Every structure is written in structure tokens, then in C-alpha cells.
Amino acid sequence: MKYLSLVLICTGILFASGCATSKYIINSNPEGAFIVGYGETTNDKPIEGTVTFLGKSDTYSFVAMKRGYHPDTVTVSKESPLEVHFQLKRMEGVPLLLRRPLELTCDNTNLLPVNVEIVLHKGVGNLDKYEESEELSVEACSDLNHELQTIQSDTTIHALNIPENSDWPSVSAELEEYLQSLSSDLLAYYPESPSVAGILERNKVLFSPVMDQLAQSGDEEFLVYGWCKSVKPTAGRIIGNVSAAVASGVVSGYETAVYGYPVTYSDPSAFALDNSTLFVAYIIDPGSGEVLETRQYVVPYDITKSERLQELSRSIILFPLAKQEQ
């Protein structure tokens, strides 16, 4: 009853303060602008956007983006007209045409060494703590890339070999920082094409052999930067949760998902990120440096076990054939 009363009081306060919901019709000139936050473009028909205002002075900003045009923002309040129109201004010297959809295959995919981050999941139950392990990350990175080099063949993607005594670690870190700053949803709509051309140019000595090799191919080639994050529960977390499961009366047993077996947890929501690995592929045009697309895949295990790392390697080396994680 106390909870219900509190809800009714809060609802009454919101209505008294002018809470209201408005539905806006959104369009743009030219058409084809991406409305940030709605995941839609203004093409054949306008977009409907619903906004809830929590007070008389509350506002909301719609943002539109389109390649070759300056971004535009329209801010509305509960008193604003219910039509939002963007008049986008052209950017000089930026091409408008977007490239055709990618035809990524095992034949035209060239993978740079994959960067790996191993994160330890500590704590028991809901007391989650995540901490990167530099030692395990370095070991897994070396093992994964060695495995990719070993298992590649004429029917897989090409795992590029970068000398270990090169500047690759610092270059990889620079690539990772820039690529992770991009939104995959906006790649085709940024006013200017997102590009790693500057990084490639500054490290010409490192990349020249790779670029020369790709340029000799008569087909369209793609460069891929791979990044991998794997979450591993610590032994203390596993043991602690075994004890918690026993104490809570769970008698069906506990086996860690590292081995792919069913798991019974005392608190399932606390283990959403246990034993999982994310692989993200950033697809790059090697000629222009443009970042064309990102693809990501999730597997339900960590890769600190050699058999699991080998399993992930087999997935990565054939990733153009895999179904993407939505």
C-alpha cells in the first residue's frame, strides 16, 4: 500500500507540473537524413517521433545527419508545432554518394592482428567487479593471432602478418581508440566519411608491404581491424557462487559455462557477462582508409582456455560467412 501511494503521489506531481506527450512528424530537405536516436531515415515517408515532456520548461532536441551535409538540430517544447523540418546545408568538397553494400567474402578479407582484452569478473552474487588482466590479455592476444596464422588457408580469410618487433602495439592502440569512438549506426551518415587514412599515412613504413600486396590484387580488397573482449569469472567468484547456490537450497548442481555445460545460479542476473566473448570487426577500404562497416559476434565462453581460443579462431577465420549478432 505504501508503494502504491508513493506511485500515485509521484504521478500526481508529474501531471500537476505539466507532464505531456507529443507526437511529431519529422522530415528533411533533402530526404535521406538519419534521425539520431530513432534509427530511421527520412525517405519515402516522414518519421513519427514521440516525446514526453516532464514540465512546462522541458525541451527535447532532434538531430539529423546526412553524408555531405552539416548536422542540424531542432529543439522542441510542449508548445512547439507538431512538425519538425530539417533544412540541411551542403558541405563543400564532400562527396554525396555512398558506396554500394559490401560484398565481404573470405577471398577479399584481410585481417590485421586482433587485439584482445581479458576482463576478470570478480565478486560474488550481485557484488560485481570487472578488472582487466594485462598478463592474460597479452597471452591471449599472442595465442589467438598465432592460431589464426596457423589455420588460415585458401578457403579462409587472409590473416596478415605484422612483425612482432614493429610499432604495431602503439598503432593498434591508436586504431582501437579511434574506431571505438565511432557509432556503427552512423557510419553511412557522418557528414564526412570516418577514415583511418591519417593513421595509415603516419605509419607508412609499417603498412606499405600490406598495401602493396593488396594493390596487386585485381579484385576489390578489404582491410579488417579486429578487437576482442572476453570476460572470465575468477575462481573465487565461481567457488563463492557454488557456496551461495548450496546455501540457497539449489540442489541441481553447478558446472561452469567455460566447459559449455548448463549452469544453475543462485542469482542468474548476476552472471549475464560471465564466460562470454565479443569479437568486433571494423571493415576498412585500404585505398581511402574509409571505415565502411562494423560487424560483431558474441560467443558464450571465455577464451583463456586453449580449446575455447581455438574454437573462436575457427569462427574468426571464417567470419564473413557467419550470421551477425544483432
Side-chain angles (χ1 to χ4, degrees):
M1 288 298 294
K2 289 183 179 180
Y3 176 76
L4 179 60
S5 299
L6 181 61
V7 171
L8 292 175
I9 291 172
C10 291
T11 303
I13 292 174
L14 288 175
F15 278 107
S17 63
C19 177
T21 298
S22 300
K23 181 177 290 186
Y24 293 88
I25 302 299
I26 308 168
N27 53 59
S28 70
N29 183 27
E31 294 182 344
F34 184 87
I35 308 304
V36 179
Y38 287 86
E40 297 183 63
T41 56
T42 57
N43 288 323
D44 298 333
K45 59 181 181 180
I47 297 172
E48 292 187 354
T50 301
V51 178
T52 298
F53 297 101
L54 301 181
K56 294 182 179 180
S57 60
D58 194 17
T59 61
Y60 180 84
S61 294
F62 291 97
V63 179
M65 297 178 70
K66 182 176 172 66
R67 178 63 51 78
Y69 291 84
H70 293 282
D72 194 14
T73 301
V74 174
T75 301
V76 297
S77 67
K78 54 182 297 190
E79 307 300 330
S80 301
L82 296 180
E83 181 176 355
V84 174
H85 179 74
F86 290 97
Q87 186 67 41
L88 301 177
K89 296 181 179 179
R90 185 77 171 87
M91 294 179 68
E92 295 297 329
V94 179
L96 295 179
L97 295 178
L98 297 177
R99 62 179 298 129
R100 65 184 183 278
L102 294 185
E103 296 182 6
L104 200 65
T105 68
C106 288
D107 291 332
N108 62 16
T109 302
N110 302 275
L111 181 68
L112 290 164
V114 179
N115 197 14
V116 180
E117 179 182 348
I118 302 295
V119 176
L120 298 178
H121 190 179
K122 300 182 177 181
V124 177
N126 285 321
L127 300 176
D128 296 305
K129 181 181 179 182
Y130 297 95
E131 181 180 296
E132 182 180 358
S133 170
E134 183 177 355
E135 180 181 356
L136 289 177
S137 297
V138 171
E139 181 181 353
C141 184
S142 176
D143 290 347
L144 178 62
N145 286 294
H146 175 75
E147 184 68 18
L148 289 170
Q149 289 287 335
T150 300
I151 65 175
Q152 67 176 327
S153 69
D154 293 339
T155 59
T156 69
I157 65 175
H158 182 205
L160 298 170
N161 187 19
I162 302 292
E164 293 186 0
N165 59 349
S166 67
D167 294 329
W168 173 248
S170 62
V171 175
S172 176
E174 187 178 1
L175 282 168
E176 181 180 323
E177 181 179 8
Y178 173 71
L179 293 169
Q180 290 188 4
S181 72
L182 302 174
S183 167
S184 58
D185 290 338
L186 297 177
L187 286 180
Y189 302 98
Y190 282 115
E192 297 183 80
S193 304
S195 174
V196 296
I199 299 176
L200 300 181
E201 178 63 26
R202 287 195 298 275
N203 298 278
K204 188 182 299 184
V205 173
L206 178 66
F207 286 108
S208 287
V210 171
M211 297 307 181
D212 292 343
Q213 182 180 344
L214 299 185
Q216 292 173 8
S217 172
D219 301 321
E220 185 175 39
E221 298 285 340
F222 297 104
L223 191 63
V224 176
Y225 177 81
W227 178 77
C228 190
K229 181 175 183 178
S230 189
V231 178
K232 172 185 174 60
T234 61
R237 178 171 177 81
I238 294 173
I239 293 172
N241 279 288
V242 169
S243 302
V246 173
S248 65
V250 176
V251 295
S252 57
Y254 176 97
E255 289 179 295
T256 172
V258 168
Y259 302 104
Y261 301 136
V263 181
T264 301
Y265 298 116
S266 58
D267 180 9
S269 65
F271 295 84
L273 291 178
D274 266 3
N275 302 304
S276 62
T277 298
L278 169 68
F279 171 67
V280 183
Y282 298 90
I283 303 163
I284 300 165
D285 181 337
S288 66
E290 181 182 352
V291 184
L292 305 172
E293 188 179 299
T294 65
R295 299 188 183 185
Q296 67 176 39
Y297 310 89
V298 178
V299 291
Y301 49 76
D302 77 73
I303 58 172
T304 58
K305 300 288 185 179
S306 60
E307 65 270 23
R308 289 307 199 182
L309 183 139
Q310 291 169 359
E311 187 174 343
L312 178 66
S313 300
R314 291 192 293 270
S315 299
I316 291 175
I317 209 72
L318 295 171
F319 86 85
L321 307 178
K323 182 179 179 181
Q324 291 191 65
E325 181 75 16
Q326 300 298 323

